[in-house]
Amino acid sequence: MNRVFCIEDDPDIRELIEYTLQTAGFETRVFDCGKAFFEQNEQPDIVLLDMMLPDMDGMDILKKIRTDAETRDLPVIILTAKTGRMEKIKGLDSGADDYITKPFDILELVSRIKAVLRRSQKKEQAAELSYKEIRLSPEGHNVWVGSDEVVLTYKEFEILNMLISNIGIVITRDRLMNEVWGTDFEGETRTVDVHIRTLRQKLGFAGKYIETIRNVGYKMG
């Protein structure tokens, strides 16, 4: 049974989420603030995170989850009343696996939780990938160029993982945005280009292996 932890300060929303997820077969715990979440020692399979909490900003909670070795790969879905495009880009770029705006359909929430869990479980089962001097460990979220470990952001890692998993195949910008930023992401393709540029820089000489296919997207190999 998958465990879902929800950090939400609105008691009505907390109660609705807890009841629905338990009915859907999830083990569910709810917290009204970030402090209560971090004080407990149990590990969930996925976190539902409100952005506007009484004690901590949701982005700070997300950052803390992503920088802790024990939780950095923990799936996180943002639940927020903030509907702006830049807010969504910021949340997804910071490592959220999905972004759902309030008010939301509770059955759609259940469906998207299941989808994120499926993607997460596939990553855990994936073996180490490599291309020439680049090695990538989906399980540990590690990347090496030769013997040197390269530190990537969450999204840079996801892009590299996708390119190495599809050697010789052109990945369009739209597909990258769909699979890395979320199925309903409607940002501009320039977001992908910026991440590719920083990824190449971090890979050093191995950055040249990421080829630009003009007006289409990118490929490796």
Side-chain angles (χ1 to χ4, degrees), residues 24-183:
F26 293 102
E27 182 180 342
T28 310
R29 288 191 62 186
V30 294
F31 306 89
D32 61 1
C33 63
K35 184 174 182 287
F37 170 75
F38 286 115
E39 283 181 343
Q40 58 83 37
N41 297 314
E42 298 180 45
Q43 180 81 337
D45 294 299
I46 189 169
V47 171
L48 307 180
L49 175 61
D50 184 20
M51 286 285 98
M52 294 179 286
L53 295 164
D55 62 337
M56 298 176 69
D57 182 78
M59 291 303 299
D60 292 334
I61 295 175
L62 180 58
K63 183 178 180 180
K64 189 171 181 178
I65 289 173
R66 287 290 172 252
T67 53
D68 188 315
E70 294 185 1
T71 59
R72 64 185 180 186
D73 296 321
L74 179 63
V76 176
I77 296 178
I78 290 175
L79 300 178
T80 181
K82 297 181 178 181
T83 60
R85 173 180 290 183
M86 292 311 299
E87 292 290 343
K88 186 170 187 178
I89 292 172
K90 183 180 178 182
L92 293 169
D93 280 356
S94 297
D97 296 87
D98 203 348
Y99 191 104
I100 301 175
T101 56
K102 300 175 183 177
F104 52 83
D105 182 276
I106 193 66
L107 295 181
E108 180 184 353
L109 173 63
V110 173
S111 177
R112 288 168 76 161
I113 289 171
K114 291 178 179 178
V116 170
L117 285 170
R118 283 195 299 269
R119 293 200 301 267
S120 175
Q121 287 159 3
K122 285 181 182 178
K123 290 178 191 175
E124 291 175 0
Q125 296 167 0
E128 185 174 285
L129 303 173
S130 64
Y131 177 73
K132 296 190 177 181
E133 295 90 347
I134 303 173
R135 289 186 299 121
L136 181 148
S137 170
E139 184 175 0
H141 248 247
N142 304 110
V143 175
W144 298 268
V145 175
S147 60
D148 297 326
E149 186 166 4
V150 179
V151 178
L152 302 180
T153 67
Y154 185 83
K155 295 304 180 188
E156 290 164 355
F157 182 91
E158 292 298 304
I159 291 171
L160 183 61
N161 188 9
M162 193 169 174
L163 290 170
I164 292 185
S165 298
N166 295 274
I167 294 296
I169 298 174
V170 179
I171 309 296
T172 66
R173 288 177 175 84
D174 286 343
R175 183 180 169 191
L176 281 168
M177 293 173 73
N178 241 348
E179 298 193 24
V180 175
W181 274 266
T183 54

